[in-house]
Amino acid sequence: MTAPELNHTRDRIYVDGAWIPSTGTGTLPVVNPFTEQVIGTVPEGTAEDVDRAARAAARALPGWSATSLADRIKACSAVAEGLKARAQEIALMASREMGAPWQLAVMVQAGLPVIDFASMEDVAGQVEWERRSGNSVLVRQPVGVVGAITPWNYPLHQIAAKVAPALVAGCTVVLKPSELVPGVAYLLAEIIDAAGLPPGVFNLVTGTGPVVGEAIVAHPAVDMVSFTGSTRAGRRVAELAAAAPKRTSLELGGKSAGVLLDDLSADGFGNAVAGSLTGCLINSGQTCSATTRLLVPRARLAEAEELLTLFAQFAPVGDPLDPATQQGPLVSKVQQERVRSYIRQALDDGARLVAGGPEQPENTPTGFFVKPTVLVAEAGSRIEQEEVFGPVLTVVPYDGGDDGALAVANGTPYGLSGAVWAGDLDRATAFARRMRTGQVAVNGGVFNPTAPFGGFGQSGYGRELGPLGIEEFTAVTSLQF
């Protein structure tokens, strides 16, 4: 692989169509989680930076919202082409700054954002922009200036899933990306600038959540906040937004269940166990919708353990840029210690270790790695209830047939994703319909990047992706005749 030159050090923010210095003097380090070395810095933005960006977005709003839908779609298509042209840079940036394994970085970290922007042409046509209701015509209008606050685990996809539909809806945007993995946001800003969007339509301010994030949420020119991150941080966003009040869309944590029903054949059971482990370990376990709980009939627990002991050996950790690597490091030392502490606490609480553990992998003396870990724990235990956000699968035995499995599956405060496997498809489908969660993979169904994504309970509210993702950034005006 001939690696392109990457710039991990930036000294500007993007506001009102120009690269300008931050009003602050601080910088934030960018760390390679494999080498544990600082590889760059970005500006530690200020509330004053946010004010400049929000005011620019507010000035640009009337003109952008009056731009035809066709032209707004063309702008997103141009961005999609720019993302395609720089896909290798994006993948390498994600791999270096967050440790994404190379194959995943190419297919997902660089691939999904292209789909997010390119799909706007199709999904915008599925939105009912106007409809008659009695003596009224209901018209979808852009909600206004959108504050987008995004995480580090899918750093560009989570940005694109907000920015693309917001732009198509006629909104303008102020973005705060994760300060841990900011490089891909800069690449997007360069692509948007090259695409010729009017000044102020898209703005980028780097910084921390307590300063830049909170300033975005509280700014009077920001009409809506779209946030993806932890449930704890989401509560803070909702609290600040309520003071205005202003619209929020929150995509938060998860503790998703993969449920194996008792009619699976031996082969079907093995495939389901393998699929569950894969669904847990994707992106080194740093996925809010990961199936981190595997619910198995108690009578088949030993069978599941034997399979997982074998399968866990085929998830090698190592250099993210090595195409053979399946599991990269976690994003930071803080995250590594958090996940390890969950494993240790679970063992102290009586969980049984099947594979992995809290120790540093033998072949990687440096890097923020956590071994792919499988634990067996009972429903209601801390490890079964709380989001770990690492490569940790909790196997949970259940009793009482489908109703018993459903009680465990729906028994956490979360409801973002899930999966169910059964020998009979109708039975699996009926079970999936009873799960209180935003999406369910039935007998190995694959992720649909244009279907609505969002959750129940502490997993948040609102939906991203597809036509509902566009509608999230609109408000309805009723014209009465």
Side-chain angles (χ1 to χ4, degrees), residues 113-208:
V114 174
I115 295 173
D116 294 329
F117 275 93
S119 67
M120 289 298 103
E121 181 174 7
D122 178 55
V123 298
Q126 301 174 43
V127 174
E128 196 172 28
W129 294 97
E130 293 189 12
R131 71 179 179 89
R132 172 73 67 170
S133 178
N135 67 314
S136 297
V137 174
L138 308 184
V139 181
R140 287 197 175 276
Q141 309 266 31
V143 73
V145 175
V146 172
I149 302 173
T150 58
W152 45 260
N153 58 328
Y154 292 92
L156 188 51
H157 166 59
Q158 298 285 8
I159 292 170
K162 301 179 189 304
V163 173
L167 295 181
V168 164
C171 299
T172 56
V173 178
V174 178
L175 168 68
K176 188 205 93 66
S178 167
E179 65 274 22
L180 297 179
V181 189
V184 290
Y186 276 90
L187 295 181
L188 176 63
E190 291 171 358
I191 290 166
I192 286 176
D193 187 68
L197 270 69
V201 170
F202 172 84
N203 306 272
L204 166 66
V205 181
T206 51
T208 65

Side-chain angles (χ1 to χ4, degrees), residues 6 16 22 26 71 76 90 123 132 157 214 231 297 303-304 315 347-348 396 425 449 454 469 478:
L6 293 184
D16 209 11
S22 167
D71 284 344
C76 284
I90 293 165
V123 298
R132 172 73 67 170
H157 166 59
E214 294 200 4
T231 298
E303 185 182 354
L347 294 173
D348 289 345
V396 187
L425 179 60
S478 175

Side-chain angles (χ1 to χ4, degrees), residues 427-449:
R427 183 182 180 190
T429 304
F431 189 95
R433 290 177 182 276
R434 298 167 67 195
M435 295 176 74
R436 287 186 53 79
T437 190
Q439 60 175 358
V440 183
V442 180
N443 278 3
V446 298
F447 176 70
N448 179 354

Side-chain angles (χ1 to χ4, degrees), residues 30 41 75 100 106-107 125 160 227-228 277 293 313 316 343 352 354 375 391 411:
V30 179
T41 60
V106 171
M107 292 186 294
F227 172 84
T228 298
L277 184 62
R293 294 184 296 149
Q313 300 175 31
I343 296 171
R352 187 154 39 83
V354 174
L375 301 164

Side-chain angles (χ1 to χ4, degrees), residues 317-387:
V317 301
D319 183 348
L321 293 180
D322 182 345
T325 295
Q326 296 295 317
Q327 298 292 299
L330 301 193
V331 74
S332 67
K333 185 68 173 178
V334 170
Q335 190 65 15
Q336 179 193 43
E337 285 304 317
R338 179 180 185 273
V339 174
R340 286 177 168 178
S341 69
Y342 263 107
I343 296 171
R344 294 188 190 102
Q345 185 63 56
L347 294 173
D348 289 345
D349 291 344
R352 187 154 39 83
L353 185 67
V354 174
E359 304 83 8
Q360 183 82 5
E362 294 77 8
N363 65 322
T364 55
T366 61
F368 305 135
F369 288 95
V370 172
K371 294 178 182 179
T373 296
V374 178
L375 301 164
V376 176
E378 293 294 326
S381 61
R382 184 186 180 199
I383 195 67
E384 190 266 338
Q385 287 285 305
E386 297 184 12
E387 183 177 47

Side-chain angles (χ1 to χ4, degrees), residues 260-347:
L260 279 57
L261 299 183
D262 60 15
D263 66 339
L264 284 164
S265 66
D267 285 346
F269 192 84
N271 290 336
V273 169
S276 295
L277 184 62
T278 300
C280 173
L281 298 183
I282 186 171
N283 206 34
S284 306
Q286 299 169 121
T287 302
C288 53
S289 57
T291 47
T292 54
R293 294 184 296 149
L294 176 59
L295 278 54
V296 301
R298 192 174 297 274
R300 302 186 77 170
L301 177 59
E303 185 182 354
E305 290 184 45
E306 182 179 359
L307 290 167
L308 287 164
T309 302
L310 174 64
F311 293 156
Q313 300 175 31
F314 296 97
V317 301
D319 183 348
L321 293 180
D322 182 345
T325 295
Q326 296 295 317
Q327 298 292 299
L330 301 193
V331 74
S332 67
K333 185 68 173 178
V334 170
Q335 190 65 15
Q336 179 193 43
E337 285 304 317
R338 179 180 185 273
V339 174
R340 286 177 168 178
S341 69
Y342 263 107
I343 296 171
R344 294 188 190 102
Q345 185 63 56
L347 294 173

